[in-house]
Amino acid sequence: MYDLKPIPEPHVMSTYGRVPVMLTHGRGCRVWDDQGREYLDALAGIAVNTLGHAHPRLVRALQDQVGQLIHTSNYHHHPYTEPLAAALCERSGLDKVFFCSSGLEANEAALKLARKFGHDKGIARPEIVVYERAFHGRSLATLSATGNPKVQAGFEPLVEGFIRVPANDLDALHRATNGNPNVVAVFFEAIQGEGGVHPLQPDYIAGVRALCDQRDWLLMIDEVQCGMGRTGRWFAHQWANIRPDVMPLAKGLGSGVPVGAVVAGPRAAQIFQPGNHGTTFGGNPLAMRAGLETIRIMEDEGLLDNAARQGQHLLTQLWAELHAVPGVREVRGKGLMIGIELDRPCGDLVLRCARAGLLISVTADRVVRLVPPLILTRAEADEIIAKLVPQVRTFLDETSA
Ligand SMILES: *Cc1c(COP(=O)(O)O)cnc(C)c1O
């Protein structure tokens, strides 16, 4: 076990409870700290490093791009914007893309799209359906859409115009919206990530799609965390065989370079006109090159299939090893997005695992979350299990009354 000591950062705002590890470099699914200690990375920068660390092809493409242009304004064209937009449209079956730099920014754009969709129809006070346990970001609008009181506390007044419903309950959605002429959109994550890795059922997603068609609402699916191949399809909603009208992306899209996108289908692709929306960094040459090269490498290396295969292996093996352990409630997820729910708060496992050379996170207080790079090998998947299971067992033993 590594002996980890606190690292002071007196000039950095304390918005995070950081693990006392100073990471300096990485390769594949491994990272190292300034003491030379090695960690297996089952967190991937929170579902960001699709290709792991220092992927040679991505490094070459980014080095080349840094030597040409890092940033230009959106007042001009450059060579990778349209190809990346086309690549996302082709893989989603949607029509047009707006580029930005983060998840909340993509969601903020989606919320603005929904409101303008309403205003264009003559609805002066549009309302958007959102979900319990949802997470959509930390801006005022996206934290208002988020279904976690802890994210909202201290930042009231919240942005208005949201109706909240529970997931996977079509009747509840009907009840919450019946007779309300101001509803313009339904907005959810295909798999709720920060909320504890709760998948929405494909039947439910298809049911909401049908309702949106019937009522002329936009179906907006936040794929910021579960998209970009993580579940074994390009986008997690594709398991329900439907298309959304609006799909925010970010996290895994640039494999570590900040890039976000809102992909829109025919009903939403024409809503924004020049002057309606914008962002300085969005769609810059470095970000576009990162996104495009990430997609190419994912296809050349068969990473969607790999995510599905290794994910299934992890799910099966973790369940086999943990289902009989008192305190373990459930192992769930899809592809390389896996949650292990315990019966008690388990934030302490993050530090315990780091001491054992494994990077993970805990979300929604009680859920161990695994979102490793999509290049994970079978041997690395087995290593995650071998490192994690004893920590979970010991933790449960030591915290049992
Ligand atoms: C992480 C996340 C966001 C916010 O993304 P940021 O880049 O941190 O702003 C939004 N939605 C979902 C589903 C996320 O997982």
Side-chain angles (χ1 to χ4, degrees), residues 16 46-48 101-107 134-139 142 146 187 189 191-194 222-226 248 250-251 259 337 369:
Y16 298 98
I46 318 183
V48 166
S101 308
S102 71
L104 82 79
E105 220 189 329
N107 285 334
F135 181 84
H136 298 296
R138 304 268 190 174
S139 67
T142 58
T146 288
F187 185 36
E189 303 151 79
I191 301 177
Q192 296 179 317
E194 304 303 304
D222 180 346
E223 292 263 0
V224 166
Q225 185 164 159
C226 56
K251 292 200 166 90
V259 48
M337 183 165 176
R369 175 176 46 179

Short mmCIF file of all heavy atoms in Angstrom, two decimals, residues 16 46-48 101-107 134-139 142 146 187 189 191-194 222-226 248 250-251 259 337 369, ligand 1:
data_model
loop_
_atom_site.label_atom_id
_atom_site.label_comp_id
_atom_site.label_asym_id
_atom_site.label_seq_id
_atom_site.Cartn_x
_atom_site.Cartn_y
_atom_site.Cartn_z
N TYR A 16 -12.47 21.09 -4.54
CA TYR A 16 -12.41 19.63 -4.61
C TYR A 16 -11.74 19.07 -3.38
O TYR A 16 -10.79 19.65 -2.87
CB TYR A 16 -11.58 19.17 -5.83
CG TYR A 16 -12.15 19.60 -7.15
CD1 TYR A 16 -11.67 20.72 -7.80
CD2 TYR A 16 -13.17 18.87 -7.74
CE1 TYR A 16 -12.21 21.13 -9.02
CE2 TYR A 16 -13.70 19.27 -8.95
CZ TYR A 16 -13.22 20.40 -9.58
OH TYR A 16 -13.76 20.79 -10.77
N ILE A 46 -12.53 11.24 -15.26
CA ILE A 46 -14.00 11.21 -15.26
C ILE A 46 -14.54 10.98 -16.67
O ILE A 46 -15.15 11.86 -17.29
CB ILE A 46 -14.63 12.47 -14.62
CG1 ILE A 46 -13.88 12.89 -13.36
CG2 ILE A 46 -16.11 12.17 -14.30
CD1 ILE A 46 -14.49 14.08 -12.64
N ALA A 47 -14.31 9.81 -17.18
CA ALA A 47 -14.87 9.38 -18.47
C ALA A 47 -14.43 10.27 -19.64
O ALA A 47 -15.16 10.44 -20.61
CB ALA A 47 -16.40 9.32 -18.39
N VAL A 48 -13.22 10.82 -19.52
CA VAL A 48 -12.74 11.75 -20.55
C VAL A 48 -11.69 11.10 -21.46
O VAL A 48 -11.76 11.23 -22.68
CB VAL A 48 -12.17 13.02 -19.89
CG1 VAL A 48 -11.35 13.84 -20.87
CG2 VAL A 48 -13.30 13.86 -19.31
N SER A 101 -16.95 24.00 -25.40
CA SER A 101 -15.74 23.48 -24.75
C SER A 101 -15.98 22.60 -23.54
O SER A 101 -15.02 22.13 -22.94
CB SER A 101 -14.83 24.64 -24.33
OG SER A 101 -14.62 25.49 -25.43
N SER A 102 -17.22 22.40 -23.13
CA SER A 102 -17.45 21.59 -21.93
C SER A 102 -18.87 21.05 -21.93
O SER A 102 -19.70 21.44 -22.76
CB SER A 102 -17.21 22.42 -20.67
OG SER A 102 -18.25 23.37 -20.53
N GLY A 103 -19.13 20.19 -20.96
CA GLY A 103 -20.44 19.58 -20.86
C GLY A 103 -21.53 20.56 -20.48
O GLY A 103 -22.61 20.58 -21.08
N LEU A 104 -21.23 21.39 -19.48
CA LEU A 104 -22.28 22.33 -19.07
C LEU A 104 -22.59 23.29 -20.20
O LEU A 104 -23.74 23.70 -20.39
CB LEU A 104 -21.91 23.07 -17.77
CG LEU A 104 -21.01 24.29 -17.81
CD1 LEU A 104 -21.70 25.56 -18.25
CD2 LEU A 104 -20.45 24.51 -16.41
N GLU A 105 -21.57 23.63 -20.96
CA GLU A 105 -21.79 24.58 -22.06
C GLU A 105 -22.66 23.94 -23.15
O GLU A 105 -23.51 24.61 -23.75
CB GLU A 105 -20.42 24.96 -22.64
CG GLU A 105 -20.29 26.39 -23.01
CD GLU A 105 -19.00 26.66 -23.77
OE1 GLU A 105 -17.98 25.98 -23.53
OE2 GLU A 105 -19.03 27.55 -24.62
N ALA A 106 -22.45 22.66 -23.38
CA ALA A 106 -23.28 21.95 -24.36
C ALA A 106 -24.73 21.89 -23.86
O ALA A 106 -25.68 22.11 -24.61
CB ALA A 106 -22.73 20.54 -24.60
N ASN A 107 -24.90 21.60 -22.55
CA ASN A 107 -26.24 21.52 -22.00
C ASN A 107 -26.93 22.88 -21.96
O ASN A 107 -28.13 22.99 -22.19
CB ASN A 107 -26.20 20.91 -20.60
CG ASN A 107 -25.96 19.41 -20.66
OD1 ASN A 107 -26.30 18.77 -21.66
ND2 ASN A 107 -25.38 18.86 -19.63
N ALA A 134 -30.73 13.56 -11.83
CA ALA A 134 -30.01 14.02 -13.02
C ALA A 134 -28.81 14.87 -12.64
O ALA A 134 -28.78 15.49 -11.58
CB ALA A 134 -30.95 14.84 -13.90
N PHE A 135 -27.81 14.87 -13.51
CA PHE A 135 -26.72 15.85 -13.40
C PHE A 135 -26.44 16.44 -14.77
O PHE A 135 -26.20 15.71 -15.73
CB PHE A 135 -25.42 15.21 -12.86
CG PHE A 135 -24.32 16.23 -12.71
CD1 PHE A 135 -24.23 17.03 -11.58
CD2 PHE A 135 -23.39 16.42 -13.74
CE1 PHE A 135 -23.22 18.00 -11.47
CE2 PHE A 135 -22.39 17.39 -13.62
CZ PHE A 135 -22.31 18.17 -12.47
N HIS A 136 -26.50 17.77 -14.86
CA HIS A 136 -26.26 18.41 -16.16
C HIS A 136 -25.20 19.50 -16.12
O HIS A 136 -24.93 20.11 -17.15
CB HIS A 136 -27.57 18.99 -16.71
CG HIS A 136 -28.62 17.96 -16.96
ND1 HIS A 136 -28.48 16.95 -17.89
CD2 HIS A 136 -29.84 17.75 -16.38
CE1 HIS A 136 -29.57 16.18 -17.89
NE2 HIS A 136 -30.40 16.64 -16.98
N GLY A 137 -24.58 19.74 -14.95
CA GLY A 137 -23.51 20.72 -14.91
C GLY A 137 -23.68 21.73 -13.79
O GLY A 137 -24.59 21.62 -12.98
N ARG A 138 -22.79 22.70 -13.75
CA ARG A 138 -22.67 23.59 -12.60
C ARG A 138 -22.94 25.05 -12.93
O ARG A 138 -22.68 25.92 -12.09
CB ARG A 138 -21.25 23.48 -12.03
CG ARG A 138 -20.87 22.06 -11.64
CD ARG A 138 -21.20 21.79 -10.24
NE ARG A 138 -20.65 20.54 -9.76
CZ ARG A 138 -20.75 20.18 -8.48
NH1 ARG A 138 -21.33 20.96 -7.62
NH2 ARG A 138 -20.26 19.03 -8.10
N SER A 139 -23.38 25.37 -14.13
CA SER A 139 -23.82 26.75 -14.40
C SER A 139 -25.19 26.92 -13.75
O SER A 139 -25.82 25.95 -13.33
CB SER A 139 -23.94 26.99 -15.90
OG SER A 139 -25.00 26.22 -16.43
N THR A 142 -27.83 24.89 -15.69
CA THR A 142 -27.65 23.43 -15.67
C THR A 142 -27.73 22.88 -14.24
O THR A 142 -28.18 21.75 -14.04
CB THR A 142 -26.33 22.99 -16.34
OG1 THR A 142 -25.23 23.62 -15.70
CG2 THR A 142 -26.33 23.34 -17.83
N THR A 146 -30.31 20.08 -12.77
CA THR A 146 -29.76 18.93 -12.04
C THR A 146 -30.68 18.52 -10.90
O THR A 146 -31.27 19.37 -10.25
CB THR A 146 -28.35 19.31 -11.53
OG1 THR A 146 -27.47 19.36 -12.65
CG2 THR A 146 -27.81 18.32 -10.51
N PHE A 187 -35.65 16.26 -21.12
CA PHE A 187 -34.19 16.31 -21.09
C PHE A 187 -33.66 15.31 -20.07
O PHE A 187 -33.94 15.43 -18.88
CB PHE A 187 -33.79 17.73 -20.70
CG PHE A 187 -32.30 18.03 -20.73
CD1 PHE A 187 -31.47 17.49 -21.69
CD2 PHE A 187 -31.76 18.91 -19.80
CE1 PHE A 187 -30.11 17.79 -21.72
CE2 PHE A 187 -30.39 19.23 -19.83
CZ PHE A 187 -29.58 18.66 -20.79
N GLU A 189 -30.30 12.12 -19.16
CA GLU A 189 -29.11 11.35 -19.52
C GLU A 189 -29.56 9.92 -19.84
O GLU A 189 -30.34 9.35 -19.08
CB GLU A 189 -28.13 11.29 -18.34
CG GLU A 189 -27.67 12.62 -17.78
CD GLU A 189 -27.33 12.52 -16.29
OE1 GLU A 189 -26.23 12.04 -15.98
OE2 GLU A 189 -28.17 12.92 -15.45
N ILE A 191 -27.82 7.32 -19.50
CA ILE A 191 -27.43 6.68 -18.24
C ILE A 191 -27.05 7.80 -17.29
O ILE A 191 -26.15 8.59 -17.59
CB ILE A 191 -26.21 5.74 -18.41
CG1 ILE A 191 -26.52 4.64 -19.42
CG2 ILE A 191 -25.82 5.14 -17.06
CD1 ILE A 191 -25.33 3.71 -19.69
N GLN A 192 -27.75 7.89 -16.17
CA GLN A 192 -27.44 8.96 -15.21
C GLN A 192 -26.11 8.64 -14.56
O GLN A 192 -25.97 7.63 -13.86
CB GLN A 192 -28.55 9.04 -14.16
CG GLN A 192 -29.89 9.43 -14.79
CD GLN A 192 -31.01 9.50 -13.76
OE1 GLN A 192 -31.11 8.63 -12.90
NE2 GLN A 192 -31.83 10.53 -13.85
N GLY A 193 -25.12 9.49 -14.79
CA GLY A 193 -23.75 9.20 -14.35
C GLY A 193 -23.49 9.64 -12.93
O GLY A 193 -23.37 8.81 -12.02
N GLU A 194 -23.45 10.96 -12.71
CA GLU A 194 -23.16 11.48 -11.37
C GLU A 194 -24.22 11.03 -10.37
O GLU A 194 -23.94 10.89 -9.18
CB GLU A 194 -23.10 13.01 -11.38
CG GLU A 194 -22.12 13.62 -12.36
CD GLU A 194 -20.71 13.14 -12.16
OE1 GLU A 194 -20.19 13.28 -11.04
OE2 GLU A 194 -20.13 12.63 -13.13
N ASP A 222 -28.79 13.99 -22.86
CA ASP A 222 -27.45 14.39 -22.42
C ASP A 222 -26.54 13.16 -22.48
O ASP A 222 -26.63 12.26 -21.65
CB ASP A 222 -27.56 14.93 -20.98
CG ASP A 222 -26.22 15.39 -20.41
OD1 ASP A 222 -25.17 15.05 -21.00
OD2 ASP A 222 -26.23 16.06 -19.35
N GLU A 223 -25.67 13.13 -23.49
CA GLU A 223 -24.72 12.02 -23.67
C GLU A 223 -23.31 12.46 -23.30
O GLU A 223 -22.32 11.90 -23.77
CB GLU A 223 -24.76 11.52 -25.12
CG GLU A 223 -26.07 10.85 -25.51
CD GLU A 223 -26.02 9.32 -25.41
OE1 GLU A 223 -24.97 8.77 -25.05
OE2 GLU A 223 -27.06 8.69 -25.70
N VAL A 224 -23.21 13.48 -22.44
CA VAL A 224 -21.90 14.02 -22.09
C VAL A 224 -20.99 12.94 -21.49
O VAL A 224 -19.81 12.84 -21.83
CB VAL A 224 -22.05 15.22 -21.12
CG1 VAL A 224 -20.72 15.59 -20.48
CG2 VAL A 224 -22.65 16.42 -21.86
N GLN A 225 -21.58 12.09 -20.64
CA GLN A 225 -20.75 11.06 -19.98
C GLN A 225 -20.89 9.68 -20.65
O GLN A 225 -19.93 8.97 -20.84
CB GLN A 225 -21.13 10.96 -18.50
CG GLN A 225 -20.26 10.01 -17.71
CD GLN A 225 -20.36 10.17 -16.20
OE1 GLN A 225 -20.04 9.28 -15.47
NE2 GLN A 225 -20.76 11.33 -15.73
N CYS A 226 -22.11 9.32 -21.02
CA CYS A 226 -22.34 7.95 -21.51
C CYS A 226 -22.12 7.83 -23.02
O CYS A 226 -22.13 6.72 -23.56
CB CYS A 226 -23.74 7.48 -21.13
SG CYS A 226 -25.08 8.55 -21.69
N PRO A 248 -26.36 16.79 -26.38
CA PRO A 248 -25.11 17.38 -25.90
C PRO A 248 -24.04 16.31 -25.69
O PRO A 248 -24.32 15.22 -25.19
CB PRO A 248 -25.50 18.02 -24.56
CG PRO A 248 -27.00 18.06 -24.56
CD PRO A 248 -27.44 16.90 -25.38
N ALA A 250 -19.59 15.89 -24.62
CA ALA A 250 -18.34 16.55 -24.18
C ALA A 250 -17.38 15.45 -23.74
O ALA A 250 -16.95 14.67 -24.58
CB ALA A 250 -18.59 17.57 -23.07
N LYS A 251 -17.10 15.38 -22.43
CA LYS A 251 -16.16 14.42 -21.84
C LYS A 251 -15.29 13.64 -22.84
O LYS A 251 -14.20 14.07 -23.17
CB LYS A 251 -16.91 13.51 -20.89
CG LYS A 251 -17.41 14.28 -19.64
CD LYS A 251 -17.72 13.38 -18.46
CE LYS A 251 -17.87 14.15 -17.17
NZ LYS A 251 -19.21 14.61 -16.85
N VAL A 259 -13.50 19.74 -25.25
CA VAL A 259 -14.38 19.99 -26.40
C VAL A 259 -15.77 19.49 -26.08
O VAL A 259 -15.96 18.42 -25.51
CB VAL A 259 -13.81 19.36 -27.71
CG1 VAL A 259 -13.39 17.93 -27.53
CG2 VAL A 259 -14.79 19.48 -28.87
N MET A 337 -19.06 1.75 -18.28
CA MET A 337 -19.65 2.72 -17.34
C MET A 337 -20.38 1.89 -16.30
O MET A 337 -21.50 1.43 -16.51
CB MET A 337 -20.61 3.63 -18.10
CG MET A 337 -21.22 4.73 -17.26
SD MET A 337 -21.97 5.98 -18.33
CE MET A 337 -22.70 7.04 -17.08
N ARG A 369 -17.74 4.20 -8.92
CA ARG A 369 -17.93 4.35 -10.36
C ARG A 369 -16.64 4.00 -11.10
O ARG A 369 -15.56 4.50 -10.79
CB ARG A 369 -18.34 5.78 -10.70
CG ARG A 369 -18.42 6.00 -12.22
CD ARG A 369 -18.91 7.38 -12.57
NE ARG A 369 -18.26 8.41 -11.80
CZ ARG A 369 -18.52 9.70 -11.93
NH1 ARG A 369 -19.41 10.12 -12.80
NH2 ARG A 369 -17.87 10.59 -11.20
C1 LIG B 1 -19.88 15.83 -16.50
C2 LIG B 1 -21.26 16.01 -16.97
C3 LIG B 1 -21.76 17.28 -17.32
C4 LIG B 1 -20.95 18.53 -17.10
O1 LIG B 1 -19.83 18.57 -17.90
P1 LIG B 1 -18.67 19.64 -17.57
O2 LIG B 1 -17.71 19.47 -18.72
O3 LIG B 1 -18.10 19.28 -16.26
O4 LIG B 1 -19.31 20.97 -17.56
C5 LIG B 1 -23.02 17.36 -17.83
N1 LIG B 1 -23.77 16.26 -18.01
C6 LIG B 1 -23.34 15.04 -17.69
C7 LIG B 1 -24.21 13.86 -17.95
C8 LIG B 1 -22.07 14.87 -17.15
O5 LIG B 1 -21.65 13.65 -16.81
#
